[in-house]
Amino acid sequence: MERTEKFIEELKRNDVEVYLTSRSSLNEDLNEFFKKQGIKRVFVRPRGLVNQLSPDIEFTEKFDEDVDAGLSEADFGIAYSGGLVELAESPSDKLPSLLPDIHIALLKESNILDDFDVLFENIPHPLPDITFIVGPSKTADIEKILVKGAHGPRRVIVFIVR
Amino acid sequence: MRVLLFPTCLVDHIKPKIGFDTVKLLEHFGVEVEVPEKPSCCGQIAFNVGYWKDAKEMARAWLDVYDVPGFDYIVAPSGSCVHMIRENYEILFKDEPKTLERVHRIKSKLYEIVEFLTKVLKVKEIPSTFSGKVTYHASCHYLRGLGVKREPKEFLKNLKNADFIPMDLEETCCGFGGLFSIKFPDLSYNMTKRKAESIKNTHADFVTSSDLSCLMNIGGVLSRLGLKIKPVHIVEILAEGLEDEKD
Amino acid sequence: MKKINFYENARKILSNPTVVEAVQKATMHALEKRRQTIARIPDFEELRDKARTAKEEILRDFDGYLEKFKENARKNGFVIHEAGDAREAREIILQIFKERNVKLAVSSKSMTQEEIEINPFLEAHGIKKYETDLGEFIIQIAHQKPSHITAPAIHLTRREIARLFNEKLGMEYTEEPEELTKFARNYLRKKYFEADAGMSGANFLIADTGSFVVVENEGNARMSTTLPPLHVAVTGIEKLIPSIKDLPVFLKILAPSSTGQHQTVYTNIFSQASKDHEVHIVLIENGRRRMLNDPVLREALMCIRCGGCSNVCPIFQLVGGHAYGSVYSGPIGIIWTYAIFGPDVAKELPFASTLCGACYEICPVRINIPRILLELRRRVIERTGGKLEEKALVGLWSQLMTKPVLNKLGFHLASKIQGIFKKDDKLTHLPFVFSNWTKWKDIEPFPGKSFRELWKERKNS
Ligand code: SF4
């Protein structure tokens, strides 16, 4: 699909690592990813696709020093910017994509939108808190030299679920 | 076609050759040129530093000299003076409907020389030659004020034998800014020095522009730095190889 | 506030080549990135027009939109406070903190907080507030002021930052930006969790949903607004936009005009509050209403603080933000400083521009900055009468240009006496104010006759 391609292109431009998967192989792909990357403890936002997983490793809803990565399902993707959209009902919903060094986002391909406009037309009112995430946290405040993982994740990984 | 030439105060008093070269260009394309007897200044030097009373005096005197019957156009070898009249007289006289009428009347007849050649006379190319490497400084009020960007460079590129080399800071201000250069000399100089370096990097023999003010400023620093690059007004380059109609 | 001595500040900075070079590099870098990014946004010019239109709409009915915002924000559960000036704003914030026994606060970057000088005030009341944006954090521990709106510490070299971290925070000495950043990250991580309150600014206040928006790259604003149980957003009332449907347009122009990024890493849209997570918005007027009622200054209220005009300004490129002596620097900063801190403080600033128009050309909402500067100059001269020598110079020129007899006499005289200032056929050491010119620049001597005289001679020959 053209929109997905554009989205992936923008994600890559934003230094996001992209994996394409399907609903049936998501679980397997994720477990393999965890294994390869040495990820043993994951801080999750228990919602949507995340709840349907059967992980080989430990999922936790509390953040601590031993967490290797954060996992959440993004509500939407924006092809225009290669951005992930997270809707949050409470501040704690925002943490899995923020606190760990690695943020893994799951995204249904059907939730990829062309542009922001579509999003604001489709969002329920009253509004939740909305966060757009465009790549890993970064700064260039020291001599304009780019450093990733300023305060938030150093790596952002997206699994697009077809 | 009859044109009343506005030489601008600087050209009039500092470099008359630019006035004659402007005439030469216009006459080459069959235009009849007249020059007023009285001196005049558009008033921007006062206007730009907040002395609007003095600016008004000069502007009014300018209108007296140029708002006269018998001419199809008024042409000036300066982007910034034309910009002053075209854009700022309306601000200056916003509470004087009578004067505003004069301003509107004259605005439609007033052109900078290259603008006039390209927009009114539809000249595509100057059938002339110029030998030497030339780089171009886009004067701020010409480029961003009047919106003239391409035309002067096209003319330069199409001159026979001329070697046009663009500089990287072509569109950056040269640091003149009228009285700015006298109020804040160290700042002005540092800006001009940056410009001079950009010019130097082109290895050009000449730097040209639509405005003598910029050229005086740039030339002043080039000279002080001992650089041999010559500042010349664009009409000097365009008219150089033209046959003198008068002779 | 004392009068800002722009030129004096600028000269000091010019004598420090490291700063000049750093500022130049940073601004040129942002401009180049902007150029590349905009090439990918084919409708960028249209987007600018749309943003302009949305901001014009706000100015058309400012009070209407402000009321609408407040009403909707309250529906969202936000507590709205209104401050007429900086002092009131500080008191309001202190009150909120006192009631909740706040001892430690973390904050993301906010110009408005700088404007009301909240940090020293809180400190004096025993409340420690940490700046968490890396650049701002560095500035804070160095006890300095930001030198650039989006790159506040750009005037400092990594060596200086390394020394700072080593001396003030006890970090083992290293000049590696990666290591320095990591250290700050760990240092501030603890603070987010310990803090009793988080603070932020706001980039946009959305009237039709009562939401507000904070954009950032580092994630420090997310941390500051998520982890502590209290969020206090401090913002000028001019940040209004009519509708959330306008937000895409602004998000599309802001980052490219600012750092040259296509989008900032994080865009945070806040619309929710709860008992466990209070959200307060402190709306600051502080001179903005005066601007609104001023036919020329009001346009400046459209500014979205992208910093593009600073990046492109050839003066800012040389001396950076510190020369302007105010939180608001660069071309638009001149106007804001004049409007907020008054004409006596800012009387030199409007002249700190060559009116080259690069700011107007780049401004995403097309604010005609040179036009406003011209008006401010007029006002300064009207108030102060202008400097004597300058006034004399302008007056003399006006006489020479409007009185033909004087004109002839004056220039003949000048061409006669100029010989004593000549060297190698150039004027190199002129007297009076003109010495400011010949300090750095030569000038061609006057010709004996004007163009008009020569023209007449030629015609008659
Ligand atoms: S005036 Fe325009 S360019 Fe300057 S900061 Fe404001 S929005 Fe950006």
Side-chain angles (χ1 to χ4, degrees):
Chain A
M1 226 163 87
E2 211 179 296
R3 187 185 301 148
T4 308
E5 272 164 33
K6 159 86 174 145
F7 179 60
I8 292 173
E9 187 191 319
E10 293 297 328
L11 281 174
K12 287 186 173 157
R13 213 199 281 271
N14 300 332
D15 290 323
V16 175
E17 299 156 51
V18 189
Y19 294 88
L20 274 169
T21 179
S22 65
R23 219 166 246 255
S24 52
S25 44
L26 172 65
N27 198 53
E28 200 180 315
D29 287 356
L30 262 179
N31 276 326
E32 201 189 307
F33 179 81
F34 294 145
K35 201 166 139 197
K36 248 206 208 136
Q37 303 277 335
I39 294 171
K40 299 199 176 65
R41 236 167 95 80
V42 174
F43 175 36
V44 297
R45 181 179 177 189
R47 197 183 61 139
L49 288 172
V50 175
N51 280 346
Q52 295 164 23
L53 297 169
S54 40
D56 301 342
I57 55 152
E58 190 190 345
F59 275 13
T60 168
E61 290 175 35
K62 270 224 174 85
F63 178 74
D64 58 50
E65 295 291 306
D66 296 328
V67 155
D68 299 311
L71 177 66
S72 63
E73 181 184 344
D75 294 84
F76 298 100
I78 307 280
Y80 176 84
S81 59
L84 301 165
V85 182
E86 283 200 347
L87 309 181
E89 298 302 331
S90 78
S92 60
D93 291 345
K94 301 176 187 175
L95 299 179
S97 67
L98 179 62
L99 295 176
D101 277 0
I102 300 173
H103 170 217
I104 305 160
L106 311 181
L107 177 70
K108 292 187 197 121
E109 189 184 19
S110 55
N111 285 337
I112 300 172
L113 310 174
D114 280 323
D115 210 332
F116 300 118
D117 315 55
V118 198
L119 173 75
F120 291 126
E121 275 154 27
N122 286 309
I123 244 167
H125 284 255
L127 293 177
D129 277 359
I130 307 169
T131 311
F132 298 153
I133 300 171
V134 180
S137 149
K138 62 186 179 191
T139 183
D141 276 345
I142 301 174
E143 289 191 5
K144 284 270 136 198
I145 295 158
L146 186 75
V147 179
K148 280 188 219 159
H151 291 274
R154 256 174 268 270
R155 285 174 69 193
V156 176
I157 295 127
V158 178
F159 281 81
I160 298 174
V161 186
R162 300 213 120 129
Chain B
M1 187 184 285
R2 278 167 62 83
V3 159
L4 190 56
L5 180 73
F6 170 37
T8 76
C9 61
L10 280 190
V11 166
D12 191 18
H13 296 291
I14 291 178
K15 210 166 174 196
K17 175 172 179 287
I18 297 171
F20 287 110
D21 283 339
T22 311
V23 175
K24 192 170 161 187
L25 265 169
L26 288 168
E27 287 180 343
H28 177 87
F29 291 102
V31 175
E32 198 182 319
V33 185
E34 203 36 75
V35 177
E37 264 192 46
K38 284 188 183 165
S40 62
C41 167
C42 65
Q44 66 170 308
I45 187 133
F47 180 78
N48 286 352
V49 275
Y51 294 87
W52 288 20
K53 245 210 212 117
D54 298 275
K56 255 187 188 170
E57 237 173 85
M58 285 186 258
R60 219 185 294 280
W62 188 91
L63 285 171
D64 288 342
V65 173
Y66 286 94
D67 183 26
V68 290
F71 296 96
D72 304 297
Y73 295 99
I74 298 155
V75 175
S78 159
S80 95
C81 302
V82 168
H83 172 255
M84 169 70 192
I85 297 158
R86 211 184 268 172
E87 301 295 327
N88 294 338
Y89 275 22
E90 276 165 19
I91 300 173
L92 210 45
F93 295 113
K94 74 173 192 308
D95 299 323
E96 295 182 30
K98 277 260 158 58
T99 320
L100 270 185
E101 245 173 64
R102 300 175 75 186
V103 173
H104 289 304
R105 186 161 57 222
I106 214 152
K107 246 178 84 167
S108 57
K109 300 207 285 186
L110 176 70
Y111 287 89
E112 180 276 337
I113 174 73
V114 172
E115 226 192 356
F116 181 74
L117 291 173
T118 52
K119 287 197 183 138
V120 179
L121 299 183
K122 313 273 181 223
V123 173
K124 294 262 178 318
E125 202 171 303
I126 308 290
S128 181
T129 63
F130 182 84
S131 31
K133 284 187 263 184
V134 188
T135 190
Y136 175 75
H137 159 65
S139 111
C140 299
H141 292 153
Y142 191 43
L143 173 74
R144 286 177 283 266
L146 299 184
V148 183
K149 187 184 173 101
R150 248 188 29 252
E151 295 85 344
K153 291 190 279 180
E154 289 299 314
F155 273 175
L156 290 171
K157 274 184 219 160
N158 291 330
L159 280 179
K160 230 176 284 153
N161 298 334
D163 191 356
F164 174 72
I165 314 161
M167 65 173 109
D168 59 349
L169 297 184
E170 177 179 305
E171 297 188 356
T172 304
C173 176
C174 72
F176 174 60
L179 283 191
F180 173 88
S181 58
I182 298 217
K183 286 175 85 79
F184 308 125
D186 297 7
L187 261 176
S188 172
Y189 167 67
N190 275 282
M191 292 162 78
T192 318
K193 199 174 71 176
R194 250 181 108 194
K195 191 91 201 182
E197 272 153 21
S198 176
I199 293 169
K200 191 178 133 198
N201 291 339
T202 63
H203 300 286
D205 312 307
F206 301 92
V207 54
T208 191
S209 178
S210 62
D211 282 83
L212 175 58
S213 49
C214 305
L215 290 169
M216 274 172 57
N217 179 58
I218 294 169
V221 167
L222 290 174
S223 160
R224 188 60 65 89
L225 294 177
L227 295 166
K228 293 275 170 276
I229 306 152
K230 247 189 101 182
V232 285
H233 193 280
I234 189 156
V235 298
E236 295 183 82
I237 293 188
L238 299 180
E240 166 109 342
L242 285 180
E243 296 289 301
D244 211 328
E245 307 280 303
K246 278 279 169 72
D247 297 338
Chain C
M1 221 167 127
K2 280 206 311 253
K3 180 193 168 260
I4 295 166
N5 293 312
F6 170 79
Y7 187 46
E8 209 179 291
N9 300 343
R11 287 181 60 176
K12 243 180 245 150
I13 295 162
L14 283 174
S15 68
N16 187 342
T18 341
V19 174
V20 176
E21 199 185 313
V23 173
Q24 198 144 307
K25 221 169 95 184
T27 50
M28 296 307 268
H29 178 79
L31 289 176
E32 177 53 24
K33 263 179 80 180
R34 174 187 183 272
R35 201 187 55 73
Q36 291 171 9
T37 300
I38 285 177
R40 288 167 48 208
I41 310 175
D43 58 344
F44 194 72
E45 293 306 308
E46 263 167 70
L47 290 166
R48 288 173 72 179
D49 291 335
K50 283 186 186 155
R52 168 92 191 179
T53 308
K55 280 291 187 183
E56 274 171 358
E57 174 58 20
I58 290 292
L59 292 190
R60 193 191 55 77
D61 180 20
F62 193 86
D63 286 306
Y65 281 109
L66 187 58
E67 278 314 309
K68 201 163 148 196
F69 171 74
K70 288 192 289 192
E71 193 189 311
N72 288 323
R74 286 193 182 108
K75 274 190 210 149
N76 290 341
F78 298 157
V79 185
I80 302 286
H81 307 263
E82 289 176 89
D85 59 20
R87 195 191 51 77
E88 253 177 65
R90 292 192 293 261
E91 291 297 341
I92 289 169
I93 295 164
L94 181 64
Q95 194 59 32
I96 301 172
F97 282 2
K98 269 188 173 162
E99 281 167 12
R100 286 155 191 82
N101 201 21
V102 171
K103 290 275 171 262
L104 179 68
V106 283
S107 178
S108 62
K109 186 162 66 190
S110 155
M111 303 295 287
T112 319
Q113 286 183 39
E114 294 260 356
E115 177 189 327
I116 62 167
E117 299 183 86
I118 186 69
N119 289 11
F121 179 79
L122 289 178
E123 194 108 13
H125 287 85
I127 298 165
K128 178 77 194 163
K129 176 187 160 215
Y130 280 96
E131 294 299 330
T132 59
D133 171 86
L134 179 60
E136 292 281 348
F137 176 67
I138 294 168
I139 295 296
Q140 187 181 31
I141 54 177
H143 296 291
Q144 293 183 354
K145 294 227 183 280
S147 58
H148 187 286
I149 188 169
T150 56
I154 196 57
H155 60 286
L156 295 173
T157 61
R158 65 176 99 176
R159 193 162 307 141
E160 287 167 304
I161 296 166
R163 207 172 305 135
L164 204 62
F165 277 30
N166 174 258
E167 281 167 15
K168 297 266 173 81
L169 306 176
M171 181 192 180
E172 202 178 305
Y173 187 92
T174 167
E175 291 175 11
E176 270 317 306
E178 188 104 21
E179 291 303 314
L180 292 163
T181 305
K182 202 171 177 185
F183 181 85
R185 173 188 167 109
N186 293 335
Y187 186 91
L188 290 168
R189 207 28 110 88
K190 286 195 208 86
K191 308 293 175 200
Y192 296 125
F193 282 98
E194 291 166 10
D196 311 303
M199 295 180 76
S200 75
N203 295 89
F204 304 105
L205 305 174
I206 303 172
D208 73 344
T209 62
S211 318
F212 63 99
V213 183
V214 177
V215 302
E216 52 143 352
N217 281 315
E218 296 183 0
N220 63 310
R222 290 189 72 192
M223 299 274 186
S224 302
T225 59
T226 309
L227 292 168
L230 168 68
H231 173 190
V232 179
V234 181
T235 172
I237 50 176
E238 80 284 2
K239 302 289 173 63
L240 285 166
I241 61 172
S243 165
I244 196 150
K245 300 219 164 71
D246 297 313
L247 186 61
V249 167
F250 285 95
L251 293 180
K252 286 177 183 182
I253 59 168
L254 179 55
S257 306
S258 176
T259 52
Q261 289 167 281
H262 188 260
Q263 288 286 298
T264 50
V265 176
Y266 301 116
T267 300
N268 306 291
I269 307 172
F270 299 98
S271 313
Q272 293 219 332
S274 68
K275 270 215 185 61
D276 310 330
H277 191 81
E278 282 184 71
V279 178
H280 293 244
I281 305 175
V282 184
L283 293 171
I284 293 182
E285 197 260 301
N286 205 26
R288 285 153 176 86
R289 209 160 272 283
R290 218 167 35 233
M291 292 171 80
L292 187 66
N293 294 327
D294 186 312
V296 177
L297 287 181
R298 75 198 310 252
E299 191 185 357
L301 286 172
M302 296 185 193
C303 174
I304 57 170
R305 304 272 155 79
C306 70
C309 55
S310 291
N311 286 337
V312 82
C313 174
I315 295 165
F316 188 98
Q317 286 176 1
L318 273 179
V319 294
H322 284 161
Y324 299 80
S326 158
V327 279
Y328 299 115
S329 61
I332 192 71
I334 293 174
I335 297 164
W336 272 81
T337 302
Y338 187 99
I340 289 182
F341 301 112
D344 291 325
V345 169
K347 63 182 169 201
E348 194 185 348
L349 286 176
F351 299 92
S353 157
T354 59
L355 305 176
C356 81
C359 47
Y360 180 27
E361 189 181 34
I362 204 171
C363 175
V365 288
R366 305 192 198 280
I367 298 173
N368 191 340
I369 295 170
R371 168 73 186 88
I372 303 174
L373 292 180
L374 277 166
E375 169 65 16
L376 294 185
R377 290 174 182 195
R378 185 190 69 78
R379 290 183 194 178
V380 171
I381 297 303
E382 205 159 76
R383 278 175 69 92
T384 64
K387 281 209 188 92
L388 217 59
E389 48 186 19
E390 196 181 281
K391 201 175 147 165
L393 187 67
V394 170
L396 175 69
W397 191 257
S398 166
Q399 291 299 306
L400 287 171
M401 289 302 134
T402 53
K403 310 269 177 347
V405 182
L406 272 180
N407 180 280
K408 200 161 171 177
L409 218 70
F411 282 97
H412 276 266
L413 200 69
S415 71
K416 285 277 170 332
I417 60 168
Q418 63 185 342
I420 49 174
F421 310 113
K422 234 194 274 188
K423 204 180 122 198
D424 299 335
D425 223 34
K426 294 263 164 65
L427 305 179
T428 55
H429 48 287
L430 289 170
F432 312 123
V433 282
F434 306 108
S435 65
N436 278 351
W437 180 280
T438 46
K439 181 179 180 188
W440 299 108
K441 300 165 185 172
D442 296 337
I443 189 164
E444 305 273 336
F446 289 103
K449 284 175 182 164
S450 72
F451 167 68
R452 283 169 299 109
E453 287 171 86
L454 293 168
W455 170 265
K456 209 166 159 192
E457 283 174 16
R458 188 179 287 196
K459 279 206 109 174
N460 296 339
S461 67

